[in-house]
Amino acid sequence: MSLQLSEKTNEKLPATVNIVEVGPRDGLQNEKQPVDAEHKIALVHNLADAGVTYIETGAYVSPKWVPQMGTTTEVFAGITQQEHITYAALTPNLKGLEAALASGVKEVAIFGAASEAFSQKNINCSIEESFERFAPVVEKALAKGVKVRGYVSCVLGCPYEGDIDIQQVARVAKKLFDMGCYEISLGDTIGVGTPDKAKAMIAEVAKQVPVEKLAVHFHDTYGQALANIYAALQMGVNTVDSAVAGLGGCPYAKGASGNVATEDVVYMLNGLGIKSGIDLTKLAKAGWHISDTLNRAPSSKVSAALRAAQE
Ligand code: HMG
Ligand code: MG
């Protein structure tokens, strides 16, 4: 009886989910202790060995704004890239894109926001100005054969403005999609969302951007990320951003904790019979390695349980 029920429920869920691993970028950008290029390179290699096929490896942003990402050129020079893996970087403007192209980066991401105040704090310009900055970045990247992913931050709340109008989220998402981004990642930057709110927001955005072109990016500040991801999967989303060991946060969103841990997402997907191609044991080891480097415990219950089971 219960088996039939679970089979029925799972009809709505995707058979496979693409994991976008953002630990080396979103995670390490907000760790207080600087991590040198050598350890970042080891992290990227360990993630690749665990079967991760998309690794956001760094950010070509101002080192005055985010010093933790100052090693990005070194990291790209030091990694051994595998053909089937995407190694991406954030590029907020043409200067960032030029640096990425010089490093041979094959995929970049631009990052806008649904909140005016957050846009100003994060990238020092208004939402409208950000579109003017991004347009030539996308145009040049595409001309060079480099794919561009787009982020919208603060989709379920802003640290400065509070509630965010979901129509504004849809407007910004559409603008980035129309500009040429092949996928739009919806960021709950401060992790305040809950499943019904996430569903309503995704439904609104899906009126403007096809749902299969949407990804979800939940920070886990209030412990809602897995529930929100499950809700998003039920809506037809099949790309999920996450960070190994639940690393990080956002330097311009005080109090925001790290992204949902990749270990927690993969464990849930395994339980739902959804394929991600990731080896959970190897992934957990990658998380322990970087957490040991940072001298802190991973922010992942699955990781903690697997480690305890080993001891
Ligand atoms: P600005 O100060 O307005 O830029 O910053 P500017 O053009 O006036 O230049 C000022 C200085 O920065 C100059 O140097 C430029 O050369 C330099 P100076 O002459 O003073 O020595 N500069 C750069 N250096 C390196 N790389 C660059 C670059 N551009 C200018 N690309 C800027 C504007 C966008 C650069 C700045 O605000 C910035 O770097 N912001 C980045 C903020 C950031 O990385 N935030 C975290 C990532 S977003 C996030 O975490 C959210 C997300 O995860 C989704 C979610 O969770 O919601 C994606
Ligand atoms: Mg983020």
Side-chain angles (χ1 to χ4, degrees):
M1 181 71 182
S2 67
L3 183 65
Q4 275 172 357
L5 180 65
S6 100
E7 275 170 5
K8 197 154 190 259
T9 314
N10 285 350
E11 273 171 26
K12 283 190 165 182
L13 297 173
T16 60
V17 159
N18 311 310
I19 296 285
V20 169
E21 169 59 52
V22 297
R25 192 282 301 174
D26 204 349
L28 296 184
Q29 80 180 6
N30 203 39
E31 290 293 337
K32 287 200 176 63
Q33 308 159 58
V35 176
D36 59 25
E38 197 187 324
H39 286 99
K40 290 180 181 173
I41 292 164
L43 172 62
V44 170
H45 288 160
N46 291 341
L47 290 166
D49 286 347
V52 177
T53 54
Y54 191 117
I55 306 171
E56 203 172 69
T57 303
Y60 291 95
V61 297
S62 163
K64 284 183 193 147
W65 285 64
V66 187
Q68 292 92 329
M69 289 291 103
T71 53
T72 297
T73 301
E74 243 181 290
V75 174
F76 270 97
I79 54 173
T80 304
Q81 300 203 13
Q82 297 186 41
E83 202 58 48
H84 67 288
I85 300 179
T86 301
Y87 301 87
L90 297 191
T91 55
N93 53 17
L94 275 172
K95 188 177 170 83
L97 178 68
E98 296 292 357
L101 292 173
S103 293
V105 175
K106 296 196 185 66
E107 176 154 335
V108 298
I110 52 174
F111 46 107
S115 147
E116 276 299 345
F118 188 82
S119 182
Q120 289 289 353
K121 296 270 184 193
N122 195 36
I123 52 174
N124 205 25
C125 66
S126 70
I127 295 172
E128 276 320 303
E129 284 163 348
S130 77
F131 298 147
E132 284 162 33
R133 268 192 204 172
F134 295 150
V137 174
V138 178
E139 197 182 333
K140 182 157 190 178
L142 295 181
K144 297 276 180 191
V146 168
K147 286 171 77 182
V148 187
R149 194 168 191 251
Y151 279 104
V152 184
S153 282
C154 299
V155 298
L156 290 167
C158 167
Y160 312 104
E161 292 181 10
D163 288 344
I164 292 292
D165 180 358
I166 56 177
Q167 288 182 359
Q168 168 77 335
V169 179
R171 188 182 79 84
V172 176
K174 179 176 166 44
K175 193 87 187 176
L176 300 184
F177 189 66
D178 288 349
M179 223 177 253
C181 293
Y182 73 93
E183 180 172 275
I184 305 298
S185 177
L186 300 167
D188 183 9
T189 318
I190 51 170
V192 289
T194 45
D196 280 357
K197 283 189 179 161
K199 278 187 169 173
M201 182 275 296
I202 291 165
E204 190 63 31
V205 178
K207 291 180 192 164
Q208 306 291 342
V209 179
V211 73
E212 62 274 13
K213 303 288 183 190
L214 299 177
V216 286
H217 178 109
F218 289 107
H219 287 257
D220 204 21
T221 320
Y222 287 84
Q224 304 297 300
L226 277 185
N228 292 339
I229 290 169
Y230 187 72
L233 298 182
Q234 288 181 315
M235 302 280 299
V237 171
N238 67 2
T239 301
V240 174
D241 300 1
S242 59
V244 69
L247 293 171
C250 176
Y252 298 101
K254 205 166 179 249
S257 71
N259 296 83
V260 63
T262 311
E263 296 89 324
D264 294 2
V265 178
V266 171
Y267 182 86
M268 181 177 81
L269 295 178
N270 287 350
L272 291 166
I274 299 173
K275 292 191 171 62
S276 68
I278 296 176
D279 179 324
L280 184 54
T281 308
K282 288 186 178 173
L283 178 71
K285 282 186 184 156
W288 299 336
H289 194 264
I290 185 67
S291 300
D292 290 347
T293 304
L294 291 164
N295 201 22
R296 74 161 176 87
S299 204
S300 157
K301 290 203 166 172
V302 169
S303 173
L306 292 175
R307 200 165 212 183
Q310 255 210 349
E311 283 159 4

